[in-house]
Amino acid sequence: MRKVDLCLSTEGAEVILATSSDEKHPPENMIDGNLETFWTTTGMFPQEFIVCFHKHVRIERLVIQSYFVRTLRIEKSTSKEPVDFEQWIERDLVHTEGQLQNEEIMVFLDKNNT
């Protein structure tokens, strides 16, 4: 079975909220599939964004590439609207002094796929 990157705009994903935006590096860059583009923030903390999948998806693996992120917290919602979030993953990232942080998270689902 072919693995699909569900977090791409070409697969229907959409950034529906971002707490910071730069005209040259907008939040939509996170999901455009182009390794040369990126989202940049104002440098204030914390930053957050919401990616909407518009359908129920099963996530087995996450790959996060970032710079200067201290703590990554991922929340999820199964509602049709972006409400009722619950904490799913929280991880402190290793400081890499200006180097790209590559974080791969394998998601282990229980028998209810949650």
Side-chain angles (χ1 to χ4, degrees):
M1 184 172 166
R2 180 177 80 91
K3 298 289 183 184
V4 176
D5 187 344
L6 298 171
C7 199
L8 290 176
S9 55
T10 56
E11 293 295 325
E14 179 182 11
V15 177
I16 61 170
L17 177 130
T19 55
S20 181
S21 187
D22 179 283
E23 186 177 296
K24 294 180 182 175
H25 307 289
E28 294 76 22
N29 286 357
M30 289 185 283
I31 60 171
D32 68 3
N34 183 345
L35 296 176
E36 300 297 316
T37 63
F38 53 91
W39 172 50
T40 191
T41 68
T42 59
M44 301 296 291
F45 296 101
Q47 294 291 332
E48 70 181 59
F49 58 90
I50 298 175
V51 175
C52 181
F53 295 105
H54 297 291
K55 61 183 177 182
H56 212 88
V57 297
R58 178 179 172 164
I59 298 173
E60 298 174 353
R61 177 176 166 256
L62 296 169
V63 176
I64 307 292
Q65 295 180 318
S66 58
Y67 288 93
F68 302 112
V69 172
R70 295 179 191 157
T71 302
L72 175 69
R73 183 173 62 214
I74 300 172
E75 298 179 353
K76 66 178 181 174
S77 171
T78 56
S79 299
K80 288 192 181 284
E81 298 297 321
V83 296
D84 302 326
F85 287 92
E86 61 184 68
Q87 187 171 320
W88 189 34
I89 296 167
E90 184 164 348
R91 186 172 288 181
D92 291 329
L93 303 185
V94 175
H95 179 69
T96 58
E97 195 57 47
Q99 298 297 313
L100 182 66
Q101 295 166 296
N102 280 298
E103 193 70 23
E104 183 172 343
I105 302 168
M106 299 305 290
V107 180
F108 298 101
L109 303 170
D110 63 22
K111 65 182 179 183
N112 297 318
N113 293 327
T114 58

